[in-house]
Amino acid sequence: MKNKKKKTQLPFRINILFFVVFLLFSVLILQLGVVQILNGEDFQDEIERTNLDTTKTPVPRGKIYDRYGNVIVDNNAVYSITYTPPKGVQAEDRLEVAEKLAEYIAMDDEDTLERITERNKKEYWYLLNKEEADGRLSEIETEGMSNAEVYNITLDLITEEEISDFSKQELEVISIKKELDKAYSLTPQVVKNENVTTEEYAVVAEHLDEMPGINATTDWNREYPFGTTLTSLLGSISSQDEGIPADEEESYLSKGYSRNDRVGKSGLELQYEDLLRGRKEQIQYTTTKSGTVIDSETIVEGERGKDLVLTIDMEFQEEVDKIVEEELKAAKSQYPYENQYLTDALAVVMNAKTGELLAVSGSHFNKEKNRYEDGGFRALSDAHTPGSVVKGATVLAGLDSGVISPGEVIYDRPIRIGQNDIMRSYSNNIGSVNDITALQKSSNVYMYYISLRMMGENRYPFPNFESVNRTNPNAFQTLRNYFNQFGLGVSTGIDYPTESTGYQGSANKPGDMMNHGIGQFDTYTVMQLAQYVSTIANDGYRVRPHFLKEVREPLASQDVLGPVYKSVNTDVMNRITMDDSYIDRVQEGFRQVFQQGGTAYRHYNDADYTVAGKTGTAEITVFDDGETDTLSHNLVGYAPYEDPEIAFAIIVPTTGENTNNISNHKIGRKILDTYFELKKERAQVSLDEEEEQENTEDEEE
């Protein structure tokens, strides 16, 4: 019985053991179920977790064309070696890449090696001798210092002797590593894009797998088919090293720029940066937690910048540049002593009705380099005393304010205010003049009386040696306000990043206002004078001068303009608020200046086109080892008089007083002749093409 009972108890214990084991396995299976079914996806995601990073690759800038489709600024493709570092790359990794890359490309020209700094050398030495360098810190208290501070101290402990005997090959590695160190994570950095040979490009492309992040690609440089013509106005772009302007970094970064992007620094390149920059190619990189790139995908196709079509006529521009430079050279060579202060000749030609700039020219003599340079930007930046060319605005101010009446005659005789110098016209034989003939003969005295009457002084003739009875203290500002309506003393509104509005004198004596009325006080730019005369030619409508004519979409073809993205229309900034008949009278006075015995008549009387405008000679004192009196020969006008197509302004400042070389008229006549000759030639070409097209169509039929 005992044996039987014992046999019965044994299976019971085994059952309990099996039950416990069953429970443990059940718990384990349950836990595995929780891990795999409920949290399995999360754990798998964690195991396979990757990062998505997007980098933006720069594209070529848009091109710039003239009004007839001639390329002014192009992109010249060049071989380029770039470095796009993966995330988490260390200095040792970059050194290894630099050492390998140095086997395939040359970075040992003098300019490159000279740019290697002492710090670059020390950083290289440190990587080669890290243990020794770190060991020097044992005697220095570094607790509480940042890693950067400790690193800088370590570099300071490297002696000049230790970095003084690098071989040329080592210096080459240092120069390459210097470029690699500039790169931001997943952002392309140019290592070399100048003088990359075909052999270098090919061998680097062949060994890309040995150098993580290195790529053999193409870059671009700006190219100017017309040489230096217009370059001072086109402006420049930054280099890869310069990148975006440091003082505007935040603004550029907010627009999607990278720090090493090349951007417009000046001129039209800066003005239209947003259009020229293009759309960057966006590549999305998939990286592991360690930073290894495992995949990449282009999510936004790159597109080069939009193309600009300017209003400039480059064929005409080249001719105007040639004329201006030749006349400046002639004036200086013919009268070298008298014209020793003469350094510039400036000219602007624009469409009087639309504001389209056809040519903006300037020739500058660089005394230090003894050469002539493109100074077109000076037409917007340099202000000069205008002289009598502004008398049209003075007459209109007098007519509109009611201080003179249309046709009112004043006898031209000298005036003396108090004990001041005598104020007179250029000639004592002008005689009686009205508002029109005062412009024709360039009477200063007529303008003086306009100023006097605007100040409240109505005595005529003015008694010499007397003081002015000035009852209107705001007269000077009133006269300036009239000038402002024509663009004199205010911004022209031109599409350019910088523009001078001239100098406004602070004095307010009666004589100052009288001098202002004859253009001998405030100063203006050639661009302002061009807008002023175009306003008169345009029946009082002041139009904004502009360089941009159209914006075009870029096309893959290198020779064809794309579809129009935007057109620039005529912008009327203001309408002169006065009786139209007053402007008619000034227009007639301007016509007589050129066509009826006026101050410009002998220079243009034989032209086969009609011109109107105003001459001006301003007195300028040059302070250079004393005071020297010089002249500024100026000219404004428009043609044809009956239906103005172009308005022009010319300034030749600081010429000798007795040179008998009035360069402004020589420049003006040649510019007008060139314009109308080109117009005639183009009309004939157009007729020939139409005739040829008709003949072709007849033959096909």
Side-chain angles (χ1 to χ4, degrees):
M1 292 291 293
K2 279 183 178 181
N3 291 337
K4 192 173 183 180
K5 190 173 181 178
K6 287 180 180 178
K7 288 179 181 179
T8 304
Q9 290 174 348
L10 184 61
F12 178 73
R13 290 175 180 173
I14 292 174
N15 288 337
I16 291 175
L17 180 61
F18 282 151
F19 181 71
V20 172
V21 172
F22 172 76
L23 288 178
L24 291 174
F25 270 103
S26 297
V27 172
L28 179 60
I29 291 170
L30 179 63
Q31 184 62 28
L32 288 173
V34 171
V35 170
Q36 291 188 354
I37 298 173
L38 296 180
N39 299 324
E41 187 175 345
D42 293 337
F43 286 125
Q44 186 66 31
D45 288 344
E46 179 62 24
I47 293 171
E48 299 177 354
R49 182 169 67 84
T50 58
N51 295 320
L52 295 178
D53 295 288
T54 301
T55 184
K56 298 177 180 179
T57 305
V59 294
R61 291 173 75 80
K63 301 180 182 181
I64 301 179
Y65 296 81
D66 83 338
R67 65 187 300 112
Y68 294 113
N70 299 306
V71 179
I72 303 174
V73 184
D74 204 348
N75 295 314
N76 180 31
V78 294
Y79 288 135
S80 179
I81 309 301
T82 64
Y83 175 60
T84 306
K87 297 181 68 174
V89 68
Q90 300 300 313
E92 293 84 353
D93 303 323
R94 292 193 293 271
L95 176 58
E96 185 178 345
V97 172
E99 289 174 336
K100 193 67 179 176
L101 186 57
E103 299 177 14
Y104 305 129
I105 67 172
M107 291 277 282
D108 57 357
D109 60 278
E110 290 185 10
D111 290 341
T112 300
L113 296 182
E114 285 178 0
R115 289 197 293 267
I116 296 176
T117 65
E118 181 182 274
R119 184 180 179 89
N120 297 146
K121 295 178 180 180
K122 287 186 175 183
E123 288 177 341
Y124 176 71
W125 190 93
Y126 172 77
L127 290 174
L128 297 179
N129 305 274
K130 194 170 183 180
E131 289 186 10
E132 180 183 346
D134 290 340
R136 297 176 182 179
L137 292 172
S138 58
E139 299 179 0
I140 300 176
E141 182 60 50
T142 59
E143 188 176 349
M145 291 185 181
S146 67
N147 292 335
E149 291 173 328
V150 173
Y151 180 65
N152 288 331
I153 291 175
T154 305
L155 295 183
D156 290 339
L157 295 175
I158 299 173
T159 66
E160 291 186 11
E161 183 179 355
E162 289 170 325
I163 63 172
S164 62
D165 60 348
F166 289 127
S167 66
K168 192 171 184 180
Q169 183 178 359
E170 287 176 310
L171 291 174
E172 192 171 10
V173 172
I174 294 173
S175 66
I176 293 175
K177 181 181 176 298
K178 177 184 177 183
E179 298 303 319
L180 303 186
D181 289 341
K182 296 177 183 178
Y184 295 93
S185 178
L186 299 177
T187 301
Q189 167 72 29
V190 172
V191 180
K192 181 180 181 181
N193 66 351
E194 292 183 5
N195 303 318
V196 178
T197 66
T198 304
E199 292 76 13
E200 286 178 327
Y201 181 84
V203 73
V204 170
E206 185 180 350
H207 295 86
L208 292 179
D209 58 330
E210 303 173 7
M211 300 171 288
I214 294 295
N215 191 21
T217 181
T218 56
D219 197 5
W220 50 268
N221 289 323
R222 282 309 219 187
E223 186 177 58
Y224 303 91
F226 287 88
T228 59
T229 302
L230 208 69
T231 51
S232 70
L233 288 161
L234 293 169
S236 61
I237 60 174
S238 63
S239 65
Q240 185 88 17
D241 290 338
E242 293 172 316
I244 60 177
D247 56 346
E248 298 180 54
E249 182 176 286
E250 186 175 339
S251 173
Y252 275 95
L253 291 177
S254 68
K255 297 177 182 178
Y257 285 84
S258 300
R259 287 179 174 82
N260 60 356
D261 279 348
R262 299 161 70 184
V263 299
K265 294 197 302 182
S266 61
L268 295 174
E269 292 275 16
L270 172 59
Q271 178 73 23
Y272 291 110
E273 168 65 25
D274 289 344
L275 292 169
L276 290 167
R277 63 179 290 201
R279 183 180 67 223
K280 289 185 176 182
E281 181 177 76
Q282 296 187 32
I283 302 175
Q284 189 177 75
Y285 290 94
T286 304
T287 62
T288 63
K289 288 188 292 183
S290 62
T292 303
V293 177
I294 59 176
D295 190 25
S296 64
E297 178 187 3
T298 301
I299 57 176
V300 176
E301 293 289 341
E303 181 180 77
R304 73 173 174 85
K306 290 180 170 53
D307 296 328
L308 306 184
V309 178
L310 303 186
T311 61
I312 295 292
D313 177 349
M314 283 303 281
E315 185 178 4
F316 182 52
Q317 174 76 44
E318 285 189 308
E319 291 299 318
V320 173
D321 283 351
K322 182 180 178 182
I323 292 166
V324 170
E325 183 174 318
E326 284 179 350
E327 290 305 320
L328 178 60
K329 286 181 177 179
K332 290 190 68 65
S333 62
Q334 188 174 357
Y335 299 97
Y337 177 76
E338 293 85 345
N339 286 332
Q340 60 182 302
Y341 300 109
L342 173 61
T343 58
D344 296 285
L346 307 169
V348 170
V349 185
M350 63 185 285
N351 185 310
K353 296 178 181 177
T354 66
E356 294 181 343
L357 293 164
L358 304 178
V360 180
S361 181
S363 181
H364 174 71
F365 177 67
N366 188 322
K367 291 184 177 180
E368 294 181 358
K369 298 180 179 179
N370 192 33
R371 69 184 187 192
Y372 291 86
E373 301 171 340
D374 172 32
F377 73 95
R378 297 175 185 274
L380 290 89
S381 66
D382 292 8
H384 299 277
T385 307
S388 297
V389 295
V390 302
K391 287 178 179 176
T394 304
V395 168
L396 287 170
L399 290 168
D400 188 64
S401 63
V403 299
I404 60 170
S405 57
E408 181 176 349
V409 175
I410 292 176
Y411 189 80
D412 187 299
R413 73 181 73 192
I415 296 176
R416 188 167 186 175
I417 307 296
Q419 299 300 315
N420 295 320
D421 292 338
I422 295 175
M423 305 179 73
R424 66 175 75 232
S425 298
Y426 74 96
S427 170
N428 291 326
N429 301 315
I430 292 180
S432 297
V433 290
N434 60 21
D435 50 335
I436 293 176
T437 54
L439 293 173
Q440 177 200 36
K441 299 179 180 181
S442 200
S443 167
N444 288 345
V445 173
Y446 201 93
M447 310 303 148
Y448 293 153
Y449 275 105
I450 291 175
S451 294
L452 287 169
R453 293 176 181 181
M454 290 183 71
M455 287 185 281
E457 173 57 81
N458 292 307
R459 287 179 287 180
Y460 173 78
F462 181 84
N464 288 331
F465 304 104
E466 293 286 334
S467 297
V468 174
N469 294 326
R470 183 165 50 173
T471 61
N472 181 7
N474 299 319
F476 205 155
Q477 187 57 51
T478 300
L479 182 58
R480 278 189 171 133
N481 290 343
Y482 276 110
F483 277 43
N484 292 166
Q485 291 187 59
F486 295 92
L488 299 175
V490 294
S491 171
T492 63
I494 191 172
D495 52 339
Y496 202 75
T498 55
E499 177 193 15
S500 170
T501 56
Y503 172 76
Q504 183 171 298
S506 58
N508 193 22
K509 299 176 182 177
D512 296 329
M513 180 173 172
M514 294 167 71
N515 281 325
H516 181 64
I518 64 168
Q520 279 289 161
F521 198 68
D522 290 354
T523 64
Y524 309 119
T525 66
V526 188
M527 188 64 68
Q528 288 175 312
L529 293 178
Q531 187 182 52
Y532 149 72
V533 75
S534 72
T535 304
I536 292 176
N538 207 24
D539 297 329
Y541 290 93
R542 176 177 167 232
V543 296
R544 186 189 309 275
H546 57 97
F547 284 104
L548 185 63
K549 182 177 178 66
E550 293 175 341
V551 181
R552 297 288 190 119
E553 295 283 3
L555 290 180
S557 171
Q558 298 297 310
D559 303 317
V560 180
L561 279 166
V564 175
Y565 172 78
K566 174 186 176 182
S567 294
V568 178
N569 299 318
T570 302
D571 181 11
V572 178
M573 301 181 70
N574 60 271
R575 170 77 160 91
I576 304 301
T577 55
M578 59 180 64
D579 194 310
D580 290 346
S581 65
Y582 298 158
I583 296 178
D584 293 340
R585 296 187 68 81
V586 170
Q587 289 174 343
E588 173 58 21
F590 277 17
R591 185 193 69 81
Q592 292 186 17
V593 168
F594 280 78
Q595 300 178 51
Q596 195 170 313
T599 52
Y601 176 73
R602 66 187 179 92
H603 300 283
Y604 300 88
N605 66 313
D606 61 340
D608 56 3
Y609 47 81
T610 54
V611 196
K614 187 72 187 75
T615 60
T617 303
E619 298 176 355
I620 304 172
T621 301
V622 176
F623 298 92
D624 182 23
D625 294 331
E627 297 183 11
T628 303
D629 292 330
T630 66
L631 300 176
S632 179
H633 292 298
N634 311 323
L635 183 69
V636 299
Y638 55 92
Y641 168 74
E642 300 81 8
D643 186 17
E645 296 177 18
I646 60 170
F648 61 91
I650 298 163
I651 288 183
V652 185
T654 59
T655 63
E657 286 193 299
N658 300 311
T659 62
N660 295 318
N661 181 40
I662 307 178
S663 302
N664 57 337
H665 288 300
K666 294 182 179 180
I667 293 172
R669 177 62 190 264
K670 289 182 178 180
I671 286 177
L672 289 171
D673 286 348
T674 300
Y675 172 81
F676 286 105
E677 285 170 7
L678 274 175
K679 180 183 177 183
K680 186 183 299 183
E681 290 173 7
R682 287 167 175 167
Q684 185 60 51
V685 169
S686 180
L687 287 174
D688 292 342
E689 289 176 349
E690 289 181 10
E691 184 176 344
E692 183 178 351
Q693 179 66 26
E694 291 175 359
N695 292 336
T696 302
E697 292 176 355
D698 292 340
E699 291 175 2
E700 290 176 351
E701 292 177 359

